[in-house]
Amino acid sequence: MTGGPPRASDAATSGAPLARRNPVAKLAAALVLSVVLLATLDPVAPAVAIAVEFAVIPLFGLRYRTVLRRMLPLLLSAAGVLITLVIFAAARTGTVLLAAGPLLVTTGVLVTALGLALRLLAVALPGVLVFATTDPTDLADALIQNVKAPPRFAIGALAAFRLAPMLAAEWRLMAMARRARGVDAGRDPVRRLQLFASTGFGLLVLAIRRGTRLATAMDARGFDSDTPRSSARRQRFGPADAGLVVGAAGVGGLSLAVGVAAGVLHPLIG
């Protein structure tokens, strides 16, 4: 195991103040903020949280263009949630905003859809910032040293983290190999779906085989042993790291407070 001062990933500036924080502190901060935001269904609280999260992106040493590119799947998912709920929502409460045949958009439906879409982004964005600025090896070290996680679990998580880009590369190689053999869906959407499913199944089989070999190799190197392990480099959890967690809780509290002040807070329970 390696350790030492947290190293940010290549996507971030390693000297940025929040990028240098302990990986466990960054994970805890993201978790705390997510739990707070899941307590309400209104759109105001997640909107406030998103505004604060975007404001601190430079403190993580990231560029807004980089974050938006990494968030593209999340943005598409949020748009899908918004459109689906607006079209298919069962309860149509509030003032009618748009009535076009079977499509009926009301203020109640729009507020609910916006709340879910914005909460998806507000909960996911901290995770994007954490993993874009955290070295996987440092994360495994911090889990073992600061959280006392079992080494087998931490090293397994590290291995899975390292293998994720390899799976993406394997997907591209499988798609290129099929095109080279003349297997192409063209513009047929059904054929595209079939090829996507078959490629996904092939990738799943490949991932299981690689995971089995990796687990065997880890056991052979003593990762399944109960013998206490030492760390070459330390991951320290200092006052600044604790301050990050407290700050995340403060952002969550501020978001709820703004929702209360605006009179739109909609608790998940109650």
Side-chain angles (χ1 to χ4, degrees):
M1 290 291 295
T2 60
R7 299 187 304 274
S9 69
D10 294 337
T13 303
S14 59
L18 294 185
R20 292 186 288 107
R21 299 279 63 83
N22 186 288
V24 167
K26 289 189 280 188
L27 275 180
L31 179 61
V32 167
L33 182 57
S34 299
V35 170
V36 173
L37 292 176
L38 290 176
T40 178
L41 298 176
D42 69 276
V44 174
V48 173
I50 291 174
V52 176
E53 290 164 4
F54 267 91
V56 301
I57 284 177
L59 298 180
F60 282 92
L62 295 170
R63 296 182 178 180
Y64 286 103
R65 182 184 302 176
T66 302
V67 175
L68 290 175
R69 185 173 64 250
R70 291 181 176 233
M71 287 183 61
L72 182 59
L74 297 174
L75 295 173
L76 295 176
S77 300
V81 169
L82 179 64
I83 294 172
T84 301
L85 288 178
V86 167
I87 295 176
F88 299 106
R92 304 283 174 173
T93 60
T95 305
V96 176
L97 300 176
L98 175 64
L103 179 61
L104 181 64
V105 181
T106 65
T107 54
V109 170
L110 190 59
V111 168
T112 301
L114 278 175
L116 291 174
L118 290 176
R119 191 161 71 252
L120 171 63
L121 295 176
V123 169
L125 181 54
V128 173
L129 298 179
V130 169
F131 287 102
T133 59
T134 302
D135 184 89
T137 305
D138 290 337
L139 176 59
D141 281 334
L143 287 174
I144 294 174
Q145 298 175 31
N146 303 131
V147 187
K148 307 303 180 185
R152 181 169 184 170
F153 167 79
I155 303 301
L158 169 61
F161 201 103
R162 293 291 194 191
L163 286 177
M166 296 180 61
L167 292 178
E170 291 288 350
W171 178 280
R172 290 192 295 268
L173 287 175
M174 292 172 67
M176 293 170 60
R178 292 192 172 193
R179 284 198 298 269
R181 294 197 301 269
V183 180
D184 193 0
R187 297 183 178 180
D188 186 350
V190 176
R191 182 58 178 161
R192 282 179 177 271
L193 183 60
Q194 292 175 343
L195 287 178
F196 180 86
S198 62
T199 305
F201 180 76
L203 188 66
L204 175 62
V205 173
L206 181 64
I208 292 175
R209 289 177 178 174
R210 181 169 290 161
T212 302
R213 291 196 298 268
L214 181 60
T216 303
M218 289 175 62
D219 288 345
R221 287 166 172 79
F223 286 104
D224 194 29
S225 173
D226 294 331
T227 304
R229 304 182 64 87
S230 60
S231 299
R233 296 161 55 130
R234 300 297 302 170
Q235 294 290 336
R236 293 178 174 82
F237 193 100
D241 302 307
L244 176 61
V245 180
V246 174
V251 171
L254 174 65
S255 302
L256 296 181
V258 173
V260 172
V264 296
L265 187 69
H266 185 185
L268 183 62
I269 300 177

